[in-house]
Amino acid sequence: MMEWSHGLLDVPDQQIFRRLAVFPGSFALDAAVAVAGEDASDYWDIVDALGRLLDKSLVALESRNPPRYRLLETLRFYAMERLLASGESDAIAERHARHFADLFDRADAAPDARPAADRAGLYRPELDNLRTALDWALAEPGRRQTAITLAGAAGGFLRFWSLEGESRRYFDEVIPLIDQDTPPRHFRSALAACPRPLVVYRQWAGAGIRRARSGSLSRAR
C-alpha cells in the first residue's frame, strides 16, 4: 500500500516525503521548509506538497496551535529507506541539525518577556528533534561547532524539562570539543548551561576562559 501510494506522487513530492523522514516525531512548517526545501523561496511549494501528502494520508496533522505534522512510524521507516537510497541522507541530516541549532540559538540569544515555564512549553515539542540533532552533531568531530551551539543554547531548556541526567551526558561529550575556533558567545552559552561548570573551568582555565569573557573577537556575533 505504501509503495502504491508513493508511486502516485510526483517526483518533487516524493523528494519532500523522503526528506521528512529525518524528523523523529512532529515538526513545524518552518522546519519542513528549512529541511525539505532548497531555500526560503520554496515555502509555498512545501505548503502545497504537505497538503497533497496529507490528502494521501502519507503525513498526519496534529491538532496544535500552530499546527504540527508528523509521519507515522511505518511511513517514516519507509521514507527513511528512500532517503538513504537517494544518497542525500547526510545532507538532509545536516540541514535538520543546523535548523534546530539556529532555532535554539535564537531563543537563547533573544529571550522574550514570557515566563520561563511558557517559553519552555513553547519549545518542548522540539525535544525529539533536539536529541536527533545533537546525536548527529556529536557523531563526527567536524560537526563540533553545531554540537556546541545546540548544547549551549538548549541546555537551559533541558534542565527546565527536568532532564538533568540527559543534559550531563550531552555536556560530557560537548565540553571537550570546545576549541579556539568556538565563538565566544557560544562558549559562554555552553558554560552557563553546563550542569557541571567546574568541569569547564578546570579544562579551560586559561586563554579559552579569558577570551570567552572578553568577547573581543568580531565573529562572536
Side-chain angles (χ1 to χ4, degrees):
M1 180 65 72
M2 284 186 288
E3 188 75 34
W4 178 78
S5 297
H6 181 267
L8 295 177
L9 298 175
D10 292 337
V11 171
D13 286 357
Q14 290 181 355
Q15 182 184 63
I16 291 168
F17 171 68
R18 68 174 179 257
R19 289 177 174 181
L20 296 177
V22 75
F23 296 105
S26 69
F27 53 90
L29 176 59
D30 63 335
V33 173
V35 172
E38 298 301 329
D39 54 50
S41 66
D42 288 339
Y43 179 88
W44 289 111
D45 290 336
I46 301 299
V47 170
D48 291 342
L50 283 172
R52 291 188 291 270
L53 293 172
L54 283 166
D55 289 342
K56 292 179 172 61
S57 300
L58 292 172
V59 170
L61 180 65
E62 293 189 345
S63 298
R64 294 174 181 255
N65 186 22
R68 294 177 67 85
Y69 305 84
R70 71 164 58 241
L71 271 64
L72 299 180
E73 196 60 30
T74 52
L75 290 169
R76 180 173 179 256
F77 182 78
Y78 175 80
M80 182 59 73
E81 287 185 331
R82 291 284 179 171
L83 183 62
L84 292 170
S86 73
E88 61 178 7
S89 58
D90 287 342
I92 298 305
E94 181 175 4
R95 288 189 197 178
H96 177 273
R98 291 189 181 280
H99 171 76
F100 286 100
D102 291 343
L103 178 72
F104 280 97
D105 193 36
R106 291 195 303 270
D108 179 62
D112 55 38
R114 283 173 289 192
D118 290 348
R119 293 189 70 240
L122 178 66
Y123 290 97
R124 184 64 173 78
E126 307 299 355
L127 176 57
D128 287 340
N129 285 308
L130 171 63
R131 287 166 169 158
T132 295
L134 273 168
D135 290 341
W136 177 88
L138 288 166
E140 295 288 345
R143 305 167 186 169
R144 64 184 182 276
Q145 297 304 340
T146 300
I148 294 166
T149 301
L150 273 164
F157 290 99
L158 289 172
R159 289 205 310 272
F160 201 94
W161 297 330
S162 299
L163 298 172
E164 290 86 354
E166 193 167 352
S167 178
R168 283 195 299 271
R169 178 174 66 82
Y170 280 126
F171 274 96
D172 284 347
E173 295 185 64
V174 166
I175 293 307
L177 301 178
I178 295 174
D179 59 20
Q180 295 302 310
D181 293 326
T182 302
R185 184 170 69 80
H186 294 161
F187 185 103
R188 291 194 297 271
S189 293
L191 181 64
C194 181
R196 292 185 286 192
L198 285 178
V199 174
V200 187
Y201 277 114
R202 292 191 187 107
Q203 183 169 345
W204 295 94
I209 290 289
R210 289 197 298 273
R211 189 195 64 139
R213 283 177 174 170
S214 68
S216 59
L217 296 183
S218 60
R219 61 186 173 189
R221 300 294 175 187

